[in-house]
Amino acid sequence: MRTVLVLALLAGAAGAETGPTGVAFTDVTQAAGIRFKHTNGAFGKKYLPETIGAGGAFLDYDGDGWIDIFLANSRNWKPRAGQPVHPALYRNNHDGTFTDVTKAAGLAVESYGIGAAAADVDNDGRPDLYLFGVGGNRLFRNLGGRFVDVTARSGIAAGGFSTAALFFDYDKDGRLDLLVGRYVEWSLEKDLFCTLDGTHKSYCTPESYRGQTALLFHNDGAGAFSDVTQRAGLLNAASKALGLAMLDYDGDGWPDVFVANDTQPNKLYRNNGNGTFTDVAVSAGVAFSEAGAARAGMGVDAADYDGSGRPGLVVGNFSNEMMALYHNEGTGLFVDDAPTTVIGRSSLLTLAFGCFFFDYDLDGLPDLLAANGHVADDIAAVQAQVKYAQAPHVFRNLGGRKFEDMGARLGPALQRPLVGRGAAYADIDNDGDLDVLLTTNNGAPTLLRNDGGNRNGWLRVRTVGGPSNRDGVGARVTVTRSGGTSSWALVHTGSSFASQSELAPTFGLGPAPGPVRVEVAWPSGRVDSATGVPPNRTVTMQEGKGLVPLPESR
């Protein structure tokens, strides 16, 4: 039955040519019913936020077991009669199509949005939604398929120029806290005149503006949050954040945070376990490039890409800087693998925003995708080799800290130049392999269906916390195959750029998989495990109870 399903999927992929692993990504945006266009509001004034674009998020907002799609939107600087601009929420119809339910869900709101983060803030079993952008952020509580704006009483409007957000339980009290990354001190009133030719206005670089500190909000319960930024040691007005990632880089069981900064040193905040953080980025080797320069950090993600048992980092950077791929040495030090791999060579002239690790062919090794696109629409006039619209990167993990460039070998959809910004992954059709959402600046998104990834075996693990937060954010999930080979992942929000992937980690099991062992180390310190778990299905691990009775394989 599974073989028949794979063949049917491949047959339905019009024009798709599979790569050497038998996988192709097919553009199903139109067929899925996604009718959306991002609006950045540009009308010739060259305002800085217009270059940023907006991301998206995968979440199961109605709890039906099928992943839905949220797309952030910006707006026109001056309201235009009859032309409202708002984000979009698309409900999964379980048949490869989606329905726009934005208004019915209470999300037809106007703001200059950049992105979103989704998590169960109040531990009621439903994902809530935090929208961030320019001039004020909003928290929407999920009441069961409809969202209600609870920003005023929550205390996390933040303001400023917000470009990233993640939920995590930094003090492990069972409630999800919120970290918001912010960019620069910009407003319509503070807009500067920058020019390349001395006459015409051009987009200013972030170096023209002062930075803004990230903000940490502690979840006090009952829907209220407190700003603990200064108390936690995160106050830093020089930051110009575009990406946030949660990781436990030193393996001490406390969630640390990496901040990708644009033209400023990156930050690696070590969680001290007492409500405070210490920046160790310089000593860890992730603050600057190998040449000692601060790069234009964009998106970021963390995963154990080399099987060392420790999380490494990928960071998207500007054109002529190449992406960073930081290997965790286990001594508190990271080493950038990118310059000695195809990742560095292939990304030298591209500008990477959204980026993430995911196992697209389910062979057990985390692969890498990056959404690319320049910020200057006239860049080719001054740098002929650099384009405004750029094709995404996909790098297949070969093991041994080696990758191969697969962008031109996974179907024509990944060869099309885009002004890429956000990027996220999820299994939208419940067939086991991971599909991809790419967003573009002032353009339409692209929904890419993974055809053939499930030729290998897989297991998706959903986590339900008890004493820990309901989503299990911060839990370390380990899957061990027969023969002792194991893989692990940290349940996390955030990462990439202005986007969020599905929370449940998917583990590739390779060909002819047998039953596996699943272990979850919860933030509370409890460890639950289950043995003899059959492959090719989604399972749920619940804190204190272990494996919830298995559903039928999908």
Side-chain angles (χ1 to χ4, degrees), residues 206-484:
E207 294 163 304
S208 304
Y209 296 93
R210 294 179 57 190
Q212 286 191 318
T213 184
L215 297 174
L216 178 62
F217 295 98
H218 179 264
N219 188 336
D220 299 328
F225 289 76
S226 298
D227 186 338
V228 295
T229 309
Q230 185 166 3
R231 186 195 321 164
L234 297 180
L235 189 67
N236 177 26
S239 276
K240 298 178 180 180
L242 286 175
L244 300 173
M246 183 192 81
L247 71 162
D248 181 7
Y249 86 96
D250 53 2
D252 66 353
W254 290 89
D256 312 304
V257 176
F258 181 88
V259 181
N261 280 320
D262 189 359
T263 70
Q264 293 294 312
N266 298 323
K267 301 292 183 181
L268 177 58
Y269 288 109
R270 181 182 181 273
N271 192 326
N272 298 321
N274 60 1
T276 68
F277 294 80
T278 300
D279 179 20
V280 297
V282 173
S283 61
V286 295
F288 305 98
S289 71
E290 288 189 324
R295 291 186 276 193
M298 308 291 182
V300 60
D301 196 18
D304 180 8
Y305 70 86
D306 60 350
S308 66
R310 302 180 295 271
L313 287 161
V314 61
V315 184
N317 292 311
F318 214 74
S319 54
N320 298 305
E321 290 183 340
M322 76 177 56
M323 296 173 67
L325 181 67
Y326 289 114
H327 173 257
N328 189 334
E329 298 284 295
T331 60
L333 180 68
F334 289 77
V335 175
D336 191 354
D337 277 347
T340 60
T341 69
V342 67
I343 292 174
R345 295 189 296 272
S346 296
S347 66
L348 180 59
L349 296 180
T350 53
L351 195 164
F353 271 87
C355 56
F356 55 72
F357 293 103
F358 75 138
D359 188 358
Y360 79 82
D361 55 359
L362 299 173
D363 66 352
L365 299 172
D367 311 302
L368 179 59
L369 181 144
N372 302 316
H374 211 276
V375 296
D377 52 10
D378 56 355
I379 185 61
V382 292
Q383 295 185 51
Q385 290 183 297
V386 179
K387 308 301 180 185
Y388 182 48
Q390 303 170 359
H393 289 309
V394 179
F395 299 104
R396 181 172 178 245
N397 193 333
L398 302 176
R401 296 164 65 176
K402 298 183 182 298
F403 291 81
E404 63 177 330
D405 191 336
M406 299 292 291
R409 304 164 71 185
L410 294 172
L414 282 170
Q415 300 173 45
R416 187 170 65 247
L418 305 169
V419 186
R421 292 298 184 261
Y425 62 84
D427 182 6
I428 61 170
D429 48 8
N430 281 343
D431 68 348
D433 49 30
L434 294 171
D435 312 296
V436 171
L437 175 70
L438 302 175
T439 67
T440 62
N441 186 26
N442 213 39
T446 300
L447 183 62
L448 298 173
R449 187 185 66 205
N450 184 330
D451 291 330
N454 57 10
R455 293 181 183 218
N456 281 324
W458 56 277
L459 188 77
R460 179 169 295 106
V461 182
R462 292 182 178 139
T463 52
V464 178
S468 302
N469 65 86
R470 178 64 181 258
D471 283 332
V473 171
R476 177 170 170 142
V477 183
T478 302
V479 171
T480 304
R481 290 173 269 176
S482 59

